[in-house]
Amino acid sequence: MRTIILLILLVTGSYLNAQEVQSKNVPSIIINALQVKFPKATDVVWELENGLYKAEFEMGRQEYEVWLDHSGKLKRWKQDFDKEKLPNAVKLSIKKSFDGFIPSSVERLQEGRGVFYKMRLTKSKEKHKVLFTEHGKLLSDQVL
């Protein structure tokens, strides 16, 4: 349940107390942990957000956001994601619950062992912001 609440906060953008941190002020254990897990990260921007270090960066042509604790442990992360690569279970759920809607702005979120997909679904002038588990369960549906 805690994971779902945190992911809903990510979906709604409710992290309001973030403050930018210069790279020179980020502990080396945090920087090293990021470099080990994402060695090709470029243009890294750091923030301190709710007690976690958040790194925003690019790798290839994808944007990532990664949250690490003070020991360098990866707590959660999200990345831009190709809608064509969505798991079949998610594609089937979209077809079943949102037939005719087209996904866009897809992000893959991971927290612990949970993997989630956040996206916009559009059909004509109708729009939804949704969150699915990797198994296709709809966790959140916000009409826009």
Side-chain angles (χ1 to χ4, degrees):
M1 185 65 170
R2 180 176 171 268
T3 298
I4 293 172
I5 291 169
L6 288 172
L7 286 167
I8 289 172
L9 288 174
L10 281 173
V11 169
T12 59
S14 297
Y15 284 96
L16 300 176
N17 65 346
Q19 71 184 77
E20 194 165 327
V21 178
Q22 293 181 347
S23 293
K24 67 181 182 180
N25 295 329
V26 176
S28 61
I29 192 168
I30 306 296
I31 291 173
N32 291 339
L34 181 73
Q35 289 172 343
V36 166
K37 292 171 179 93
F38 301 93
K40 296 183 180 182
T42 60
D43 302 324
V44 180
V45 175
W46 291 96
E47 291 182 358
L48 190 56
E49 188 175 89
N50 294 329
L52 297 174
Y53 285 91
K54 176 184 169 187
E56 294 180 24
F57 58 90
E58 293 180 5
M59 204 164 61
R61 292 185 178 165
Q62 290 186 332
E63 293 182 12
Y64 288 75
E65 292 181 24
V66 174
W67 289 263
L68 301 115
D69 67 14
H70 288 279
S71 70
K73 182 178 178 189
L74 184 64
K75 301 303 280 183
R76 61 183 173 272
W77 59 279
K78 72 178 182 176
Q79 72 181 94
D80 291 345
F81 196 80
D82 182 353
K83 68 182 178 183
E84 304 301 323
K85 295 181 180 178
L86 284 169
N88 285 334
V90 174
K91 289 178 183 178
L92 289 172
S93 287
I94 292 170
K95 183 160 180 58
K96 180 179 176 185
S97 301
F98 299 94
D99 193 32
F101 281 77
I102 298 171
S104 63
S105 303
V106 179
E107 294 178 328
R108 182 181 188 274
L109 312 164
Q110 184 168 343
E111 181 163 346
R113 294 183 181 169
V115 176
F116 308 88
Y117 295 89
K118 179 177 91 168
M119 68 196 78
R120 288 181 185 246
L121 297 174
T122 306
K123 179 179 177 182
S124 193
K125 293 185 180 194
E126 211 177 329
K127 295 181 183 179
H128 294 257
K129 185 188 275 188
V130 295
L131 180 68
F132 289 96
T133 68
E134 66 184 318
H135 305 293
K137 181 179 179 185
L138 180 64
L139 296 178
S140 173
D141 177 9
Q142 178 184 10
V143 178
L144 302 174

PDB file of all heavy atoms in Angstrom, residues 5-19:
ATOM      1  N   ILE A   5       0.799   4.507  -2.652  1.00  0.00           N
ATOM      2  CA  ILE A   5       0.658   5.902  -2.230  1.00  0.00           C
ATOM      3  C   ILE A   5       1.810   6.741  -2.760  1.00  0.00           C
ATOM      4  O   ILE A   5       1.607   7.838  -3.293  1.00  0.00           O
ATOM      5  CB  ILE A   5       0.558   6.002  -0.689  1.00  0.00           C
ATOM      6  CG1 ILE A   5      -0.775   5.405  -0.224  1.00  0.00           C
ATOM      7  CG2 ILE A   5       0.690   7.453  -0.233  1.00  0.00           C
ATOM      8  CD1 ILE A   5      -0.892   5.206   1.258  1.00  0.00           C
ATOM      9  N   LEU A   6       3.036   6.233  -2.665  1.00  0.00           N
ATOM     10  CA  LEU A   6       4.182   6.974  -3.191  1.00  0.00           C
ATOM     11  C   LEU A   6       4.077   7.164  -4.688  1.00  0.00           C
ATOM     12  O   LEU A   6       4.392   8.228  -5.218  1.00  0.00           O
ATOM     13  CB  LEU A   6       5.488   6.258  -2.837  1.00  0.00           C
ATOM     14  CG  LEU A   6       5.891   6.328  -1.367  1.00  0.00           C
ATOM     15  CD1 LEU A   6       7.084   5.413  -1.113  1.00  0.00           C
ATOM     16  CD2 LEU A   6       6.220   7.743  -0.961  1.00  0.00           C
ATOM     17  N   LEU A   7       3.616   6.142  -5.391  1.00  0.00           N
ATOM     18  CA  LEU A   7       3.484   6.267  -6.841  1.00  0.00           C
ATOM     19  C   LEU A   7       2.382   7.239  -7.219  1.00  0.00           C
ATOM     20  O   LEU A   7       2.518   7.989  -8.180  1.00  0.00           O
ATOM     21  CB  LEU A   7       3.248   4.910  -7.476  1.00  0.00           C
ATOM     22  CG  LEU A   7       4.511   4.059  -7.494  1.00  0.00           C
ATOM     23  CD1 LEU A   7       4.197   2.623  -7.828  1.00  0.00           C
ATOM     24  CD2 LEU A   7       5.507   4.626  -8.477  1.00  0.00           C
ATOM     25  N   ILE A   8       1.303   7.266  -6.463  1.00  0.00           N
ATOM     26  CA  ILE A   8       0.248   8.244  -6.728  1.00  0.00           C
ATOM     27  C   ILE A   8       0.789   9.653  -6.509  1.00  0.00           C
ATOM     28  O   ILE A   8       0.485  10.570  -7.271  1.00  0.00           O
ATOM     29  CB  ILE A   8      -1.005   7.947  -5.884  1.00  0.00           C
ATOM     30  CG1 ILE A   8      -1.673   6.671  -6.432  1.00  0.00           C
ATOM     31  CG2 ILE A   8      -1.976   9.124  -5.912  1.00  0.00           C
ATOM     32  CD1 ILE A   8      -2.802   6.132  -5.601  1.00  0.00           C
ATOM     33  N   LEU A   9       1.635   9.830  -5.502  1.00  0.00           N
ATOM     34  CA  LEU A   9       2.271  11.133  -5.310  1.00  0.00           C
ATOM     35  C   LEU A   9       3.133  11.493  -6.508  1.00  0.00           C
ATOM     36  O   LEU A   9       3.168  12.647  -6.946  1.00  0.00           O
ATOM     37  CB  LEU A   9       3.117  11.137  -4.031  1.00  0.00           C
ATOM     38  CG  LEU A   9       2.344  11.136  -2.722  1.00  0.00           C
ATOM     39  CD1 LEU A   9       3.301  10.982  -1.543  1.00  0.00           C
ATOM     40  CD2 LEU A   9       1.504  12.374  -2.575  1.00  0.00           C
ATOM     41  N   LEU A  10       3.839  10.521  -7.073  1.00  0.00           N
ATOM     42  CA  LEU A  10       4.625  10.777  -8.284  1.00  0.00           C
ATOM     43  C   LEU A  10       3.728  11.183  -9.439  1.00  0.00           C
ATOM     44  O   LEU A  10       4.053  12.076 -10.209  1.00  0.00           O
ATOM     45  CB  LEU A  10       5.421   9.532  -8.685  1.00  0.00           C
ATOM     46  CG  LEU A  10       6.686   9.250  -7.916  1.00  0.00           C
ATOM     47  CD1 LEU A  10       7.252   7.896  -8.322  1.00  0.00           C
ATOM     48  CD2 LEU A  10       7.717  10.328  -8.125  1.00  0.00           C
ATOM     49  N   VAL A  11       2.595  10.512  -9.561  1.00  0.00           N
ATOM     50  CA  VAL A  11       1.674  10.805 -10.657  1.00  0.00           C
ATOM     51  C   VAL A  11       1.119  12.213 -10.523  1.00  0.00           C
ATOM     52  O   VAL A  11       1.014  12.952 -11.498  1.00  0.00           O
ATOM     53  CB  VAL A  11       0.529   9.772 -10.694  1.00  0.00           C
ATOM     54  CG1 VAL A  11      -0.562  10.205 -11.647  1.00  0.00           C
ATOM     55  CG2 VAL A  11       1.061   8.418 -11.102  1.00  0.00           C
ATOM     56  N   THR A  12       0.768  12.600  -9.327  1.00  0.00           N
ATOM     57  CA  THR A  12       0.142  13.906  -9.140  1.00  0.00           C
ATOM     58  C   THR A  12       1.148  15.026  -8.965  1.00  0.00           C
ATOM     59  O   THR A  12       0.780  16.195  -8.946  1.00  0.00           O
ATOM     60  CB  THR A  12      -0.794  13.883  -7.913  1.00  0.00           C
ATOM     61  OG1 THR A  12      -0.030  13.544  -6.755  1.00  0.00           O
ATOM     62  CG2 THR A  12      -1.931  12.904  -8.103  1.00  0.00           C
ATOM     63  N   GLY A  13       2.417  14.693  -8.838  1.00  0.00           N
ATOM     64  CA  GLY A  13       3.444  15.732  -8.722  1.00  0.00           C
ATOM     65  C   GLY A  13       3.420  16.437  -7.383  1.00  0.00           C
ATOM     66  O   GLY A  13       3.703  17.633  -7.290  1.00  0.00           O
ATOM     67  N   SER A  14       3.118  15.721  -6.327  1.00  0.00           N
ATOM     68  CA  SER A  14       2.940  16.337  -5.025  1.00  0.00           C
ATOM     69  C   SER A  14       4.216  16.508  -4.210  1.00  0.00           C
ATOM     70  O   SER A  14       4.152  16.798  -3.032  1.00  0.00           O
ATOM     71  CB  SER A  14       1.942  15.516  -4.197  1.00  0.00           C
ATOM     72  OG  SER A  14       0.696  15.529  -4.829  1.00  0.00           O
ATOM     73  N   TYR A  15       5.368  16.303  -4.814  1.00  0.00           N
ATOM     74  CA  TYR A  15       6.615  16.530  -4.100  1.00  0.00           C
ATOM     75  C   TYR A  15       6.951  18.010  -4.191  1.00  0.00           C
ATOM     76  O   TYR A  15       7.501  18.479  -5.181  1.00  0.00           O
ATOM     77  CB  TYR A  15       7.751  15.697  -4.710  1.00  0.00           C
ATOM     78  CG  TYR A  15       7.656  14.247  -4.329  1.00  0.00           C
ATOM     79  CD1 TYR A  15       7.061  13.334  -5.168  1.00  0.00           C
ATOM     80  CD2 TYR A  15       8.160  13.807  -3.119  1.00  0.00           C
ATOM     81  CE1 TYR A  15       6.967  12.002  -4.813  1.00  0.00           C
ATOM     82  CE2 TYR A  15       8.082  12.480  -2.757  1.00  0.00           C
ATOM     83  CZ  TYR A  15       7.483  11.588  -3.611  1.00  0.00           C
ATOM     84  OH  TYR A  15       7.405  10.283  -3.244  1.00  0.00           O
ATOM     85  N   LEU A  16       6.597  18.743  -3.158  1.00  0.00           N
ATOM     86  CA  LEU A  16       6.723  20.196  -3.218  1.00  0.00           C
ATOM     87  C   LEU A  16       7.947  20.743  -2.500  1.00  0.00           C
ATOM     88  O   LEU A  16       8.294  21.897  -2.690  1.00  0.00           O
ATOM     89  CB  LEU A  16       5.456  20.834  -2.634  1.00  0.00           C
ATOM     90  CG  LEU A  16       4.158  20.484  -3.361  1.00  0.00           C
ATOM     91  CD1 LEU A  16       2.978  21.102  -2.638  1.00  0.00           C
ATOM     92  CD2 LEU A  16       4.196  20.923  -4.810  1.00  0.00           C
ATOM     93  N   ASN A  17       8.603  19.955  -1.673  1.00  0.00           N
ATOM     94  CA  ASN A  17       9.682  20.510  -0.872  1.00  0.00           C
ATOM     95  C   ASN A  17      11.071  20.128  -1.385  1.00  0.00           C
ATOM     96  O   ASN A  17      11.984  19.920  -0.629  1.00  0.00           O
ATOM     97  CB  ASN A  17       9.516  20.113   0.600  1.00  0.00           C
ATOM     98  CG  ASN A  17       9.650  18.627   0.818  1.00  0.00           C
ATOM     99  OD1 ASN A  17       9.605  17.855  -0.113  1.00  0.00           O
ATOM    100  ND2 ASN A  17       9.812  18.232   2.061  1.00  0.00           N
ATOM    101  N   ALA A  18      11.239  20.072  -2.683  1.00  0.00           N
ATOM    102  CA  ALA A  18      12.545  19.746  -3.267  1.00  0.00           C
ATOM    103  C   ALA A  18      13.399  21.003  -3.357  1.00  0.00           C
ATOM    104  O   ALA A  18      12.897  22.095  -3.564  1.00  0.00           O
ATOM    105  CB  ALA A  18      12.362  19.149  -4.657  1.00  0.00           C
ATOM    106  N   GLN A  19      14.690  20.819  -3.160  1.00  0.00           N
ATOM    107  CA  GLN A  19      15.609  21.935  -3.337  1.00  0.00           C
ATOM    108  C   GLN A  19      16.811  21.462  -4.127  1.00  0.00           C
ATOM    109  O   GLN A  19      17.318  20.371  -3.930  1.00  0.00           O
ATOM    110  CB  GLN A  19      16.024  22.537  -2.001  1.00  0.00           C
ATOM    111  CG  GLN A  19      16.949  21.667  -1.172  1.00  0.00           C
ATOM    112  CD  GLN A  19      17.252  22.281   0.172  1.00  0.00           C
ATOM    113  OE1 GLN A  19      16.428  22.224   1.049  1.00  0.00           O
ATOM    114  NE2 GLN A  19      18.422  22.850   0.318  1.00  0.00           N
TER     115      GLN A  19
END
